[in-house]
Every structure is written in structure tokens, then in C-alpha cells.
Amino acid sequence: MDNNSEASLTVEMVRSALTTTLLGNRIRHYAQVASTNEIARDAGRRGEREGLVVLAEEQTAGRGRLGRVWVAPTGCCILCSVLLRPRFPPRQAFYLTIAASLAIRRAVTRLSTASAQRGEGGEIECSIKWPNDVMVRGRKISGVLCESEFRGGAWDFVVMGFGINVNLPLEALGELASTATSLSIEAEREIDRVGFLSSVLGELESLYLLMQGGAFGPIFSEWQSALETPGKRVSVLAAQGRVEGRAVRVDYDGALIVETEAGREVRVVAGDLLPLGAE
Ligand code: BTN
């Protein structure tokens, strides 16, 4: 089904660009939905098999991390949710989120290399801000939100949702321009959304298959080396309150270890990095 009539992306275009066998075995594309995560979640509840990819040109209630909303102008970003049924235990959930960030980072690196080879601009250096924001030059280019449902202590399904600022012009960012950016701004040209999505889903499938085979080590190492946070002074809004100090390292469960002024190490399992000095 393709419910979109005006934008440049169609299910057929995505299908023919994909190199995957699992992710995108079914693709749904909508002009407007409340949230692609919700559509994929409903499919999961109906018992649909994994691999479904839900895309939208616009979301009226896009969901972000920590209960925030995710806003993106119509038709220029990638708003995507993937339905997965992991076989590994739910305690490894954080690997799914970091796999999505790593897949996006790998796709950015690929794009940057291809551009450089064609003499079309400089390198787009991409890093990850703990835990999973994909960043270019200190600005956010993409966010990931995984939402899980369980049955009898095991996973029923996971919806992995990501929003990527692809062809978002600087003017559209408004006051977010100091904290967010897009691929087209960084590459100084319009980006092929379908090609980029296909690249992300290809990378994501390889990472997901690694995880399904129990190989979490290489994913952790890649995440660790992609992280820009360790070594920096940070202020984290965490479940236990505000934690300030120097980020020293990350743990295998994804926690950030912060050394406070008093020299105490605090583990932050989930939270949000605030700009330093923010109230
Ligand atoms: C974040 O807060 O950084 C995560 C944002 C995740 C947004 C994406 S857009 C596609 C998918 N559908 C949603 O409702 N949210 C995710």
C-alpha cells in the first residue's frame, strides 16, 4: 500500500533500492500518520512477522525519547519504524538502540566517502552522543526510539523508530539550528532519501543479524569508539536527578559512568545530556 500521492518516495522505489532480505520484506508508506512507531506497534500486536518497515512523510504526534515529541517538516526527512522480534534476552535491549545509531552513522560515513570520491565536498564526521543521538559537528542529525512489548518475561516485539534529518534546509531549523543539522546542510547538496534509507537498512540488517547470533561484542566496541561523550564534562538529567562531572566511560549495559567533583563515580543508566550550564 502506498498512501502517499505527492512526495518523491514510493514503496516501489524503496523496494528496488533495498539490498536487505529481512528488513523491508514489507514496506508501508504514508503521507501522514500520528507516529510510524504506533503503526508498527499495531502491526506487532496483530502478530505480523518481523521486517516490516513503516515510513511516513509527516507525523502529527511523532514520539521522541523521554516522552518528548519529534517534529519534522513534511517530505524531507526519513521517518521510519521497523518491526523486530529479537531472540536475545530483553536485558540486551540497549544494543538495539545503539545498533540503529551505528547503522545511521555508517550510512553517513558511506555517503561522505562517496561524496569525497566525486569531489563533492568535505568529510562529514559523524559521532554518537550518549546514549544514541547521531551527531555531525556537534549537532543532532538523527534520533532513535525503540519501544518494546513483552509476553511472559520474553520479548513479543520491538519497534525501532528513527528520524533522520535528510533534506532539511537551514531555514526550517529555526532556533534549533544551534543544536540540530541535516545531511543536506552538511553535504551542501540534496541527498537521495531512498538511497540513504536503503544504506541505513542494509547496515541495520547486518548489525541485527549479528545480535540475533549473540555477537554483541563488536557492536559494543563500535559504539564505544563512536561515542563523543567520554572525557567531556557533562550534566545529565537522570532518573536519580541531575548528575554533573566528567564522563569517564560506558558500561556493557550502556550506562554512562560520571565522576563527580567529589571524585565519586555515578552510573547513569538512562538520561539526557544537558548543555553545560543549562538549568
Ligand atoms: C529522540 O528523541 O531522539 C528519538 C526520536 C525518534 C523519532 C522517530 S521518527 C520515526 C519514529 N516514529 C516516532 O513516533 N518516533 C520515531
Side-chain angles (χ1 to χ4, degrees):
M1 175 173 57
D2 193 333
N3 294 335
N4 182 56
S5 53
E6 67 225 23
S8 60
L9 187 155
T10 65
V11 168
E12 288 66 37
M13 285 164 74
V14 176
R15 193 173 289 132
S16 60
L18 284 183
T19 54
T20 49
T21 50
L22 176 65
L23 306 189
N25 53 18
R26 283 115 56 236
I27 304 166
R28 288 181 201 141
H29 176 232
Y30 300 88
Q32 189 193 67
V33 291
S35 153
T36 55
N37 269 27
E38 249 175 57
I39 304 267
R41 181 204 61 198
D42 293 347
R45 286 182 182 168
R46 282 195 304 272
E48 287 200 31
R49 69 184 195 283
E50 68 174 354
L52 171 71
V53 165
V54 179
L55 299 164
E57 296 303 322
E58 185 182 0
Q59 297 184 121
T60 54
R63 294 209 281 261
R65 284 181 64 237
L66 308 170
R68 285 185 299 240
V69 290
W70 181 265
V71 182
T74 309
C76 58
C77 295
I78 290 174
L79 305 171
C80 178
S81 300
V82 184
L83 176 65
L84 299 170
R85 295 191 185 271
R87 288 191 300 265
F88 47 90
R91 68 183 145 76
Q92 313 277 41
F94 115 91
Y95 281 92
L96 282 169
T97 318
I98 66 172
S101 309
L102 290 175
I104 296 161
R105 178 174 182 261
R106 285 183 182 184
V108 173
T109 305
R110 230 177 235 270
L111 178 86
S112 159
T113 309
S115 301
Q117 279 167 354
R118 291 201 301 263
E120 288 177 353
E123 197 184 342
I124 308 174
E125 216 177 287
C126 187
S127 58
I128 295 177
K129 182 175 118 182
W130 182 88
N132 57 16
D133 286 347
V134 187
M135 312 291 287
V136 173
R137 286 192 306 124
R139 295 175 170 83
K140 184 162 169 172
I141 209 156
S142 173
V144 179
L145 176 69
C146 289
E147 297 182 290
S148 302
E149 294 208 358
F150 304 94
R151 189 176 288 181
W155 248 321
D156 186 4
F157 62 86
V158 176
V159 170
M160 180 190 279
F162 50 87
I164 310 173
N165 297 340
V166 183
N167 290 316
L168 194 58
L170 192 57
E171 316 80 76
L173 283 169
E175 59 187 25
L176 290 179
S178 59
T179 54
T181 186
S182 72
L183 288 174
S184 60
I185 294 170
E186 298 303 325
E188 297 176 356
R189 66 182 170 91
E190 176 137 340
I191 304 301
D192 166 17
R193 255 191 323 158
V194 172
F196 192 76
L197 173 65
S198 155
S199 179
V200 171
L201 291 175
E203 297 292 355
L204 188 55
E205 181 162 297
S206 333
L207 291 162
Y208 183 60
L209 295 179
L210 271 182
M211 290 187 280
Q212 288 287 62
F216 295 95
I219 298 174
F220 182 80
S221 305
E222 189 174 333
W223 178 61
Q224 213 178 12
S225 57
L227 276 176
E228 60 175 34
T229 312
K232 284 192 176 165
R233 278 197 48 76
V234 292
S235 174
V236 197
L237 197 54
Q240 64 261 53
R242 177 83 72 97
V243 179
E244 284 191 351
R246 192 176 62 88
V248 279
R249 63 178 185 281
V250 283
D251 257 358
Y252 287 105
D253 62 354
L256 182 69
I257 314 300
V258 180
E259 188 186 66
T260 64
E261 293 286 317
R264 197 166 60 92
E265 285 199 349
V266 180
R267 290 183 90 249
V268 183
V269 178
D272 211 17
L273 289 185
L274 300 170
L276 279 174
E279 286 310 310

